Amino acid sequence: MKRLVFPGKNFPVYVFDTYEEASLAAAEVVVSEMKKKPEFLLGLATGSTPVRLYRALIEKCRAGEISFSRVKTYNLDEYYPIDPKNEQSFLAFMKANLFDHVDLPKENIHIPNGAATDPAAEAVRYEEELLAIGGVDLQVLGIGSDGHIGFNEPADEFILPTHLVTLTEQTINDNSRFFRAKSDVPTHALTMGVGAIMRAKKCILIANGKNKAEAIRGAILGDPTPKNQASALQFHRDVAFYLDKDAASEIL
Ligand code: PGA
């Protein structure tokens, strides 16, 4: 593992040989933070990136090292529109990859409702839940190949509250691997804005693979810009990056 710190950038970047090592190191952070506070507020991400981290959390929970019984989870985003029962929904993803395997009470799960009839009202409802907690204790993040965090796509501005977003062609292409056909990928999503992500007390961003290298370079070394939404994290008070060497290849 290499720990990189860049001049003028006030956060650590950890580079590992493999995705597995990066995930396990990130899992250690989640576990040690969870142990400090049973009523932990945990911000979660979907996508293939956090899957290994979630498997480590399941193992730690099964071993009795951590418990989710008093944890509340807050997911970054959900496709819109989508039936939460659809196996492509982010709720279904979270159940399959974490929730169904740990002692997390159902009522402690928070995620935008992809089946809400009025997405604007649903965005307001979710933002009110997020504002009520004042910020999660720890937010797990992946990054899109276009630099998105949550589904905050490249734009002319940072949108702070939860909102409905139109997915970019690049994101639809990236995510089509989870669907039978590209045309099945929803074109919209409800996402936490950058505001709730910045309110997290701690953020850890995991990235692996060459297709993330350019987005990671912009996020870490570029001037902060809404064209790379992850670059907002440069202003976060406690953020760390966990990368495999491919994702770090443009910053080494
Ligand atoms: P991925 O998605 O983990 O499936 O690459 C990451 C993201 O879109 O944030």
Side-chain angles (χ1 to χ4, degrees):
M1 188 270 287
K2 258 208 251 359
R3 183 181 192 274
L4 309 177
V5 185
F6 297 97
K9 311 281 180 185
N10 193 23
F11 49 83
V13 179
Y14 302 102
V15 183
F16 301 82
D17 281 339
T18 64
Y19 162 68
E20 167 96 4
E21 289 170 72
S23 301
L24 295 182
E28 280 309 317
V29 176
V30 180
V31 167
S32 76
E33 291 297 314
M34 282 179 70
K35 282 181 179 170
K36 291 181 192 163
K37 184 181 169 191
E39 289 88 10
F40 201 68
L41 303 175
L42 179 57
L44 297 172
T46 48
S48 48
T49 306
V51 168
R52 185 63 187 93
L53 160 70
Y54 294 156
R55 187 142 54 84
L57 296 183
I58 293 167
E59 285 158 11
K60 298 282 186 190
C61 186
R62 286 192 176 143
E65 219 183 295
I66 51 169
S67 169
F68 289 79
S69 64
R70 289 152 75 188
V71 170
K72 290 187 176 149
T73 63
Y74 294 83
N75 263 89
L76 285 168
D77 46 18
E78 177 60 282
Y79 287 123
Y80 188 85
I82 199 160
D83 180 344
K85 292 203 175 66
N86 182 321
E87 60 177 21
Q88 307 298 351
S89 76
F90 283 170
L91 178 59
F93 174 94
M94 289 308 306
K95 285 183 175 174
N97 287 284
L98 182 65
F99 297 160
D100 284 353
H101 311 287
V102 295
D103 57 342
L104 174 71
K106 264 200 186 68
E107 59 275 18
N108 291 5
I109 295 168
H110 302 81
I111 185 166
N113 178 7
T117 44
D118 179 349
E122 176 58 12
V124 169
R125 184 200 66 78
Y126 196 57
E127 187 64 21
E128 280 170 0
E129 284 190 345
L130 296 170
L131 286 169
I133 58 167
V136 294
D137 293 304
L138 186 153
Q139 178 66 56
V140 175
L141 295 166
I143 185 170
S145 66
D146 63 3
H148 70 213
I149 45 175
F151 266 139
N152 292 283
E153 297 284 33
D156 294 333
E157 58 185 343
F158 292 110
I159 299 178
L160 300 183
T162 302
H163 58 283
L164 183 72
V165 65
T166 305
L167 301 180
T168 60
E169 194 63 23
Q170 193 171 335
T171 295
I172 290 173
N173 280 332
D174 286 348
N175 289 9
S176 62
R177 71 189 192 279
F178 297 113
F179 291 80
R180 263 179 316 150
K182 187 176 154 189
S183 56
D184 288 348
V185 185
T187 52
H188 291 75
L190 283 161
T191 185
M192 253 188 219
V194 171
I197 295 170
M198 295 302 281
R199 288 196 297 275
K201 294 180 182 66
K202 191 179 189 70
C203 285
I204 54 176
L205 187 147
I206 311 168
N208 65 291
K210 273 257 186 296
N211 68 321
K212 302 292 174 70
E214 192 50 44
I216 283 292
R217 195 194 56 73
I220 291 176
L221 294 183
D223 289 334
T225 166
K227 301 289 182 207
N228 180 323
Q229 296 269 322
S231 65
L233 295 170
Q234 293 183 28
F235 296 121
H236 195 277
R237 59 190 146 165
D238 184 355
V239 61
F241 292 80
Y242 292 78
L243 312 176
D244 79 345
K245 58 180 186 321
D246 288 340
S249 56
E250 296 283 327
I251 58 168
L252 290 173

